Amino acid sequence: MGKSQQVLLKNWFSILDHLDEIFLFIGNDTEILHANSAYSRLIGVPRDKVIGRRLSDIEPKARIIEVLETERPVYHDYSYIESVGMDIVGNSFPVYDEGEKVGAIGIFRPVSLFSADSSLLSTPVWCKKEKAAEGGDPFSRLIGESRELKNVIYIAKKVAQTDTTVLLRGETGVGKEVFAKAIHEASPFSDGPFIALNMASIPETLIESELFGYEAGAFTGAQKGGKPGLIELAGGGTLFLDEIGEISPMLQSKLLRVLQEREVIRVGGTKARPVRFRLIAATNRDLESMVENGRFRPDFYYRISVIPIHLPPLRERCSDVLLLAEHFKRKLEERHGRQKAFSPRVLDMIKRYSWPGNVRELQSCIEYMYVLSEGQLLDVQHLPQHIWEYVKGSPVVIGEREEAAAPPLAKEVPSKANLKEVMEQVEKEMIIKALRESRTKTEAIQRLGMSRKGFYMKLKKYQLTF
């Protein structure tokens, strides 16, 4: 062992005491083996009062205990410490010695401090200037850690090294242009321009001159001396044509010739101009059905779909939703200079929503919440109305299960149940219904006509979270 390693080990506990995060190490029997000074400072309990005790006795529902039992680590995980009434976020993972599990470590901090630390936030979205400065991988800046996203990135990286035409397929808002730019930046064409055109945003009569350019006198109002089209301007770079399914068969035929001959003829001209560019097309349409119905040329379809890449909708990569939400919040914090934090309740609702508008809808939602919230906490009352209405009808978390909220006595009462059991069942179901139909716990308390203390005692009794 080198001297530097000896110094590190000698000062290890001192190093842990300088962390801003709480560090907790428990053994296989949940005995607390070590807690750093941040534990006392942030939890408010002297660490010498807990070291040597079992965490299962102090906080039986602690997430680190679940990690210890399942041996599955969790990252950026939100949970609640009932004993001190604190929301926390952090990482927990099992610890092994020569392949044998010896305990688990948790590193976390209160949610109230979460937004203030930029190191916990997800990686910023790509930017060409950042790539030039960092010389990094543009795909590494795409937000998400799901298997679905990683599979797509793997394919895109392979394709980027060639000049093959790519067809990006996916629903509206999944980020097709983001992927197109990443492919461009990772390709041999990265030193050239990236020219993008949404084919559905321009009238058919203008698309041809925009793409192919025109010669002087080609039509009334034509620019003197003519004008190069986007295909020429994309020379040495990448041309991204979004909504490719919206163009007419006539224009498809002309684009097909450009792709096959690698030359373009301007509108009103006869001279063929050589062009070298990478084409990336994108669509949310069912091109196969359009080919069968005669609305899309089969030869053009096979020419542009050499490498089709399906971009998964957000509902198919749910694990990325919170990473994206935190990323969009951070961008707003940088723009407006005000830091805010999500409540665990609103994060749960964000995860449960289906996001039919995908990443674009999520980004709009986070901006809506950020702008309309007055304090530092982004909670369920700040959600757009349509999202709140949707999630309000989804299951409520009960302990480790999900149950749809039902009206009182909707469930069958066991025939041998006594009066106390029946009353408890009705009470539990009424609380679930109130939680489901209320935006805040205060509103639920008012609906139930209970005291706040009594309400929280019932939540604990029935293991309800909201």
Side-chain angles (χ1 to χ4, degrees), residues 397-415:
V397 177
I398 303 176
E400 298 299 322
R401 312 185 315 278
E402 284 190 350
E403 269 183 35
L409 295 179
K411 299 179 182 178
E412 183 178 351
V413 178
S415 58

Side-chain angles (χ1 to χ4, degrees), residues 211-451:
L211 278 175
F212 299 95
Y214 54 82
E215 296 288 3
F219 50 83
T220 303
Q223 183 175 305
K224 185 179 180 181
K227 179 184 176 183
L230 296 181
I231 293 175
E232 288 183 67
L233 294 176
T238 300
L239 177 64
F240 175 60
L241 300 181
D242 198 4
E243 305 292 354
I244 195 73
E246 304 301 322
I247 61 175
S248 67
M250 182 273 293
L251 195 54
Q252 294 170 29
S253 176
K254 291 190 174 185
L255 275 172
L256 177 62
R257 184 184 182 281
V258 172
L259 294 175
Q260 290 177 337
E261 304 299 330
R262 293 296 176 180
E263 59 184 28
V264 63
I265 300 176
R266 294 182 181 179
V267 175
T270 57
K271 178 183 177 182
R273 303 169 186 268
V275 289
R276 178 180 176 272
F277 66 95
R278 167 64 155 304
L279 175 66
I280 301 178
T283 185
N284 61 359
R285 301 285 295 276
D286 184 353
L287 296 185
E288 291 78 10
S289 295
M290 294 177 67
V291 169
E292 292 177 3
N293 297 332
R295 291 183 292 140
F296 205 85
R297 291 178 60 102
D299 49 0
F300 184 60
Y301 166 74
Y302 292 116
R303 187 64 184 80
I304 64 173
S305 62
V306 178
I307 304 291
I309 299 179
H310 173 73
L311 305 184
L314 201 51
R315 64 180 175 275
E316 292 180 7
R317 52 187 189 104
C318 299
S319 59
D320 294 338
V321 172
L322 297 188
L323 289 174
L324 285 162
E326 190 61 53
H327 165 73
F328 293 137
K329 178 175 72 67
R330 182 192 179 193
K331 302 302 287 186
L332 290 166
E333 289 172 338
E334 291 174 353
R335 189 195 314 170
H336 299 286
R338 289 179 291 129
Q339 294 182 333
K340 301 190 178 187
F342 293 112
S343 73
R345 293 189 307 158
V346 82
L347 287 172
D348 178 62
M349 289 194 167
I350 288 173
K351 285 192 295 185
R352 285 156 55 192
Y353 184 59
S354 63
W355 300 108
N358 294 295
V359 179
R360 188 177 299 140
E361 183 185 9
L362 175 60
Q363 182 176 11
S364 298
C365 170
I366 301 305
E367 185 164 4
Y368 177 95
M369 296 175 65
Y370 184 93
V371 171
L372 292 187
S373 62
E374 295 181 357
Q376 291 185 318
L377 191 67
L378 302 176
D379 210 343
V380 293
Q381 65 267 29
H382 304 126
L383 284 168
Q385 185 67 27
H386 71 282
I387 294 178
W388 165 253
E389 291 294 336
Y390 175 92
V391 178
K392 188 173 69 171
S394 62
V396 175
V397 177
I398 303 176
E400 298 299 322
R401 312 185 315 278
E402 284 190 350
E403 269 183 35
L409 295 179
K411 299 179 182 178
E412 183 178 351
V413 178
S415 58
K416 295 183 180 181
N418 58 37
L419 179 60
K420 180 182 178 182
E421 291 172 339
V422 173
M423 294 296 291
E424 286 180 343
Q425 180 174 319
V426 172
E427 184 177 58
K428 178 180 176 181
E429 291 176 357
M430 288 186 67
I431 292 174
I432 292 173
K433 186 173 187 294
L435 287 170
R436 179 183 176 184
E437 296 178 353
S438 305
R439 287 201 172 199
T440 64
K441 289 181 180 177
T442 299
E443 184 180 338
I445 292 169
Q446 292 173 347
R447 283 174 177 264
L448 294 165
M450 301 174 64
S451 68

